[in-house]
Amino acid sequence: MNCPYCRNADSRVVDSRVADDGVSIRRRRQCTACSRRFTTTETASLSVLKQSGAVEPFSRNKVINGVRKACQGRPVTDHDLAVLAQEVEEAVRTSGAAEIPAHQVGLAILEPLSRLDEVAYLRFASVYHNFQSLTDFESAIGRLRDRRSNVPQGTQRPLTAD
């Protein structure tokens, strides 16, 4: 890390702590040449392995943009989508791998999306799982109904966040 003031490549860490999001570390550094202090934020890199073989960094914005299409016309806010993207990132980070297949990201989207909005879930799942017939939709709807009936009365999570 170069000093932002004098461009010296050498600095020492003065203080380290976990950032508010819990996934990054905030470090206070001091340049060994000019003695000025600056802050850096470090996160573990998370890469997505695409089906084509290409590797790209994980992006919450790509998750949001993909899900936003399924949520068009639904009562889902930008805040709801940001929370969903954070849940997806936390879910894929728990695997502990630095590189995850794109398919795993898609699977991580399905559960929080089904809690957020069932119609958007069906839209997303129909494309993601490549539904070919009404039977595919009926099966997915049946699984949603089964899940709803297995949740004790009064503890069911709302479908949309306020």
Side-chain angles (χ1 to χ4, degrees), residues 3 6-11 30-36:
C3 172
C6 71
R7 311 304 297 160
N8 179 37
D10 192 29
S11 64
Q30 184 171 12
C31 176
T32 56
C34 69
S35 297
R36 293 183 75 178

Side-chain angles (χ1 to χ4, degrees), residues 85-144:
Q86 181 177 349
E87 281 185 59
V88 169
E89 183 174 2
E90 289 170 0
V92 295
R93 281 193 185 276
T94 58
S95 72
E99 188 174 279
I100 54 167
H103 180 72
Q104 191 173 340
V105 176
L107 291 175
I109 290 171
L110 290 172
E111 176 59 29
L113 183 56
S114 71
R115 289 191 315 267
L116 178 63
D117 188 279
E118 290 174 333
V119 172
Y121 165 80
L122 287 171
R123 289 175 178 171
F124 187 88
S126 71
V127 173
Y128 185 74
H129 288 304
N130 194 25
F131 287 5
Q132 296 295 314
S133 66
L134 286 176
T135 307
D136 295 333
F137 280 97
E138 289 168 345
S139 297
I141 291 168
R143 285 190 300 275
L144 283 172

Side-chain angles (χ1 to χ4, degrees), residues 16-127:
S16 292
R17 58 183 72 177
V18 176
D20 295 334
D21 61 5
V23 244
S24 57
I25 296 176
R26 180 183 172 275
R27 295 199 196 279
R28 201 64 187 135
R29 295 178 176 273
Q30 184 171 12
C31 176
T32 56
C34 69
S35 297
R36 293 183 75 178
R37 291 185 177 195
F38 57 97
T39 301
T40 59
T41 304
E42 300 173 19
T43 58
S45 66
L46 181 61
S47 299
V48 177
L49 176 62
K50 310 278 278 185
Q51 286 182 344
S52 66
V55 177
E56 62 182 47
F58 176 85
S59 168
R60 284 186 186 181
N61 286 335
K62 285 191 86 168
V63 171
I64 290 170
N65 290 335
V67 173
R68 180 174 278 130
K69 292 172 188 166
C71 294
Q72 256 181 334
R74 303 296 305 155
V76 176
T77 66
D78 287 341
H79 175 72
D80 294 334
L81 294 176
V83 169
L84 181 134
Q86 181 177 349
E87 281 185 59
V88 169
E89 183 174 2
E90 289 170 0
V92 295
R93 281 193 185 276
T94 58
S95 72
E99 188 174 279
I100 54 167
H103 180 72
Q104 191 173 340
V105 176
L107 291 175
I109 290 171
L110 290 172
E111 176 59 29
L113 183 56
S114 71
R115 289 191 315 267
L116 178 63
D117 188 279
E118 290 174 333
V119 172
Y121 165 80
L122 287 171
R123 289 175 178 171
F124 187 88
S126 71
V127 173

